[in-house]
Structure formats: C-alpha cells, structure tokens
C-alpha cells in the first residue's frame, strides 16, 4: 500500500503542470468604476402639492430622472429642472431635494447603471460600456469582478460620507471575494472624488486593497467650464435645449462649486472672467457670485473649496490619461456692456474640451510626493467623452490589466509551490510514521533531509529499505559466525 501511495503522489507531481494550470480569468484585478458629473443614473418619486407647469406631474411612482431623453424636450424640460434642482440650507450647510421630490441612485455594486446613462440603452447615452465590454472579453464578470460605484453627482464630497463608507465596503468585499487588489477606473469628477476619498484612508488600508488607479479625463483641479456653467449655463450637449433653461438646476448643485478652478493651479492673476467692471480669478470669486446674485452658491463654494486643495499625494499607483489638443474654455470675456453673464466671448486654451490641461496634469505633481509610481499619457485630439471609447485608452487599460494578471498568476504559482512543498513533507512524514517495521524509524543521517520533490522521497525510501536489508544481512552473518 505504501508503494501505491508513493506512486500516486509521483504521478500527480508529474501531471501538475497540466492539471494545475491557472485560469487567467481567476486572476484578473477586479475593477470598480467611479463615474463623473452626470455619470450615474438617477430615479425619482414625486408627491408634490403644486408644480410649475400644468403638464408637470404631481404624484408618481419611481421613474427615470437622469438620464431620460424624453424629459429633455421643450416645455417638459421645465418639469425636469424643477425636479432635479437642490435646495441649500445655510444652517446645516447641506442640500436636499425640492419639496415633494425623492431621489435614489440605482445599481450600486453592479456595472450596468454606469455603462449606460439612459436605462433604455440608446446609443448616444453609452458611458463605461465600451470599457466594460473590453473587460468582459478578458474574463471579467459584471457585478462580480467589474463593479460600479455610482453616486448623486449633484453633491460634493462633503455631503457624501455615507457614499464613501459604501465605497470602502465595496472595495473590501471585492478584494475579499477575488483575492486580488482592486483597480479603480475614474472619469472626470470621479478623479477629485477619489482624491478626497483616498485622502481619508490610512496608508495600510490602501496598500492592502488598492492595486492602481486609472484616471480618464480627471478634473483633478477643477475646470474653467464650471465658471461658464455658473454664468452662461450649459446645454448638456443637446442643441435644442437652451443653456439658460437648465442653468438654475446647474447652479443649485454643490458639485459645480466643487469643480471651480482650484487655487492650487490658478493663481490670483489668472483671470477667467473679464468684464468692463471686474476681473475674476480664484482670489476674488465672491465678486462673480455677487454679480450673479447667488449667495447660496457662494456658500457652497466656501464649503467645498478646501476639500482637496493642496491635498497630499494619494499614496497609490496612478495612471493619468487625458485628451489634449481640443479647444477648452480658458477665459470668458464680456466686451459688450450688459452682456454679462449670458453672452461671453470664449477664449480657448489646451485641454479635452471640458477639463483644462493644467487640471488634467495635476497628477504629475505627485511623482515626487509618493513612492508609488505615477504614469501619464496625453491623447492627442481625444475629447472629454471620447476617452471612454477611444481605442488608445481601452488598449492602455487592457494592457495594464494583462500585466497585473501576469503578476497575480506568478504570485499564485509561488504560493502553490510553497504549499506543495509543505504538503510533500507532511505526506512523507505520514508514510514514515505508518511504517510498522522496527528499523523503519528515520535514521539519524536523514533527520534533517530537505524534501524538494517526490523523486527525493522515493530515493529516500529505497535507500532506507537497502539499509534495512544490509543491516539484516550483516546481523545474520554475525550470528552464523558466532554459532
């Protein structure tokens, strides 16, 4: 029986390279997707006593509020603005929905609600879908190894304490399930959100759970476009919508104040508004809010302006990808009297059409501020949304995933070898212990033997048997001579 056991172990060892081949899909780094401003679906439920228009609903069950293209058509959009805008409380310094409006963010932990902004999955509303499709082709599973962390993008980090707790749990659960550290992929406002999150995590937690951070078009230090939204508004890229129509909703969001240009990057002489009566920079933003008669918005700015200003390096590996060579608003100039705020002449600089290049490149400052690597890649002619589907950025992510997977497999193979050597020692100890022959105790010259393979064990057993036979033979000869 002992010979059969030894032979079985020997055959398993020979077959292990084929039987124990590691599956790549089991060793991919799990991914958590962090969307940007407007990058999460939102649902609403109404119970209103009055509306701004007779066509607006007062009472509803849950329905898609963002993104729902049917709500952005003329006239109906007035109802949408009224349901989306927030109300600021300057005592609690927090925001809430308008009276009679309840909202929720669906799909936390899954990927579907950040792959598509419109649940109907109409082609213009695709978001992380191309990146997720590329990951699935590598063996990822939606909701398991690629997950989404959507949030209420109207609010800034100071109102997202519950979200950040959920995000931390999501990262920990994903790490524990997969056994591998997590890759975070961020877009736009997702970058400063994660900068704030990582600022509040201990280094030992980041070392254990975070593999790397990939930022796509990260608005690390804000954007002049936020100034334009506060002043002239933005039509959300939908040509039939008037920017002025949606401006009230946009101005009510603390996240817009959070995304204003950071004094970390824009100095007091870097004017981004010029009129015949004032020049505005980060040093005197209050003048802009006063001119717009937006006292609550100014309070939101005070609440958010120092959340990540001059924050330390994140303490994790960072891959910073962003577009360049696309006209991006650098300054709003009002040459005609009375043209402020609706009709600026826009002065353009470099960037991706939304985020100025100085903000997208803020990550370069961390190269000397942390021991973890910081990588940077500028993509010529790729705009703020194209980066989510551009082959250059997707290929970069796929290659990065492949390299990390190779590292994870190599680590797993080393672990298997250590465990295999340990099991061999344990198995041989059992075999020796079970031998009933009086002379089968481990001889002194084998006591410190290092078992490196089954082959060594077989040789040891053979030598032990030869020694036993030799001792028996010599003992017999001695008896014969004596007799």
């Amino acid at each position: 029986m002992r010979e059969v056991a030894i032979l079985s172990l020997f055959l398993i060892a020979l077959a292990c390279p084929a039987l124990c081949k590691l599956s790549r899909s089991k060793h991919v780094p799990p991914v958590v997707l962090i969307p940007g401003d407007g990058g999460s679906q939102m649902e609403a439920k109404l119970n209103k006593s009055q509306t701004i228009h007779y066509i607006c609903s007062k009472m509803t069950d849950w329905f898609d509020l963002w993104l729902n293209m049917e709500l952005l058509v003329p006239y109906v959009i007035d109802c949408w603005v009224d349901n989306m805008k927030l109300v600021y409380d300057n005592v609690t310094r927090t925001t809430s929905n308008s009276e009679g409006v309840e909202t929720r963010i669906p799909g936390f932990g899954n990927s579907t609600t950040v792959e598509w902004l419109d649940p109907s999955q109409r082609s213009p509303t695709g978001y992380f879908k191309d990146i997720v499709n590329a990951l699935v082709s590598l063996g990822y599973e939606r909701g398991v190894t690629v997950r989404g962390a959507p949030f209420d993008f109207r609010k800034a980090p100071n109102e997202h304490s519950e979200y950040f707790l959920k995000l931390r749990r999501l990262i920990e659960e994903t790490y524990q399930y997969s056994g591998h550290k997590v890759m975070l992929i961020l877009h736009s406002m997702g970058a400063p959100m994660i900068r704030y999150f990582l600022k509040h995590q201990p280094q030992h937690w980041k070392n254990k759970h975070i593999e790397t951070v990939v930022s796509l078009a990260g608005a690390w230090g804000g954007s002049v476009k936020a100034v334009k939204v506060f002043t002239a508004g933005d039509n959300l890229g939908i040509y039939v919508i008037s920017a002025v129509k949606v401006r009230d909703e946009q101005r009510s969001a603390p996240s817009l104040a959070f995304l204003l240009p950071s004094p970390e990057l824009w100095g007091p002489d870097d004017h981004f508004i010029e009129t015949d009566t004032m020049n505005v920079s980060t040093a005197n933003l209050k003048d802009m809010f006063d001119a717009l008669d937006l006292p609550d918005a100014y309070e939101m700015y005070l609440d958010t302006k120092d959340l990540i200003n001059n924050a330390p390096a994140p303490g994790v590996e960072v891959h910073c990808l962003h577009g360049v060579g696309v006209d991006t608003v650098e300054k709003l100039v009002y040459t005609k009297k009375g043209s402020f705020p609706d009709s600026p002449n826009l002065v353009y600089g470099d960037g991706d059409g939304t985020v100025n290049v100085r903000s997208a490149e803020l990550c370069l400052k961390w190269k000397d501020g942390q021991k973890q690597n910081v990588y940077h890649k500028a993509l010529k002619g790729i705009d703020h949304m194209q980066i989510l589907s551009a082959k250059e950025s997707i290929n970069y992510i796929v290659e990065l995933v492949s390299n990390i997977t190779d590292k994870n497999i190599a680590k797993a193979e080393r672990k298997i070898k250590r465990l295999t050597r340990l099991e061999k020692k344990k198995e041989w100890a059992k075999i020796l212990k079970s031998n009933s022959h009086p002379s089968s105790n481990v001889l002194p010259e084998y006591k410190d033997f290092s078992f490196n393979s089954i082959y060594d064990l077989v040789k040891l057993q053979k030598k032990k048997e030869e020694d036993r036979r030799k001792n028996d033979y010599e003992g017999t000869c001695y008896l014969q001579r004596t007799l």
Side-chain angles (χ1 to χ4, degrees), residues 6 9-10 13-14 424 449 452-462:
I6 294 171
L9 286 170
F10 186 63
L14 292 176
K424 288 175 183 177
F449 189 87
N452 293 318
S453 68
I454 292 295
Y455 184 64
D456 290 333
L457 301 182
V458 173
K459 288 198 300 181
L460 177 60
Q461 175 69 0
K462 287 181 177 179

Side-chain angles (χ1 to χ4, degrees), residues 87 107 124 184 252 271 283 297 379 394 410 446 456:
V87 179
L184 304 180
S252 75
H271 301 141
L379 304 176
I394 292 179
Y446 306 136
D456 290 333

Side-chain angles (χ1 to χ4, degrees), residues 158-172:
N158 58 311
E159 293 191 66
H160 273 306
S161 58
E162 184 179 345
Y163 168 75
F164 288 129
L165 287 174
K166 289 175 61 180
L167 176 60
R168 177 171 168 137
R169 287 196 295 267
L170 178 68
I171 292 171
E172 291 171 349

Side-chain angles (χ1 to χ4, degrees), residues 104-217:
R104 66 185 183 189
I105 307 299
F108 188 88
N110 210 324
S111 64
T112 307
T113 59
V114 295
E115 291 183 62
W116 297 90
L117 300 182
D118 187 338
S120 67
Q121 300 188 359
R122 299 175 185 178
S123 58
T125 68
Y127 193 48
F128 275 117
K129 69 176 181 69
D130 292 313
I131 291 174
V132 173
N133 286 337
L135 294 175
V136 169
S137 71
L138 298 176
Y140 280 80
E141 184 178 351
R142 286 177 170 88
V144 179
T145 48
V146 55
R147 313 184 74 178
F151 59 93
D152 188 339
F153 50 82
R154 300 172 299 172
K155 301 190 177 189
N158 58 311
E159 293 191 66
H160 273 306
S161 58
E162 184 179 345
Y163 168 75
F164 288 129
L165 287 174
K166 289 175 61 180
L167 176 60
R168 177 171 168 137
R169 287 196 295 267
L170 178 68
I171 292 171
E172 291 171 349
E173 290 169 3
T174 306
Y175 163 79
Q176 290 168 2
Y177 176 83
S178 68
H180 300 297
K181 293 197 285 186
V182 176
M183 173 191 291
L184 304 180
I185 301 181
L186 335 168
H187 180 245
S188 191
M189 179 184 162
M193 285 284 288
I194 289 302
R195 189 182 181 194
Y196 178 88
F197 171 75
L198 293 174
K199 173 185 172 183
H200 292 85
Q201 306 307 315
Q203 189 60 48
H204 68 84
W205 185 90
K206 291 183 279 190
N207 292 343
K208 179 178 179 179
H209 295 96
I210 305 297
E211 177 68 50
T212 191
V213 169
V214 179
S215 167
L216 303 174

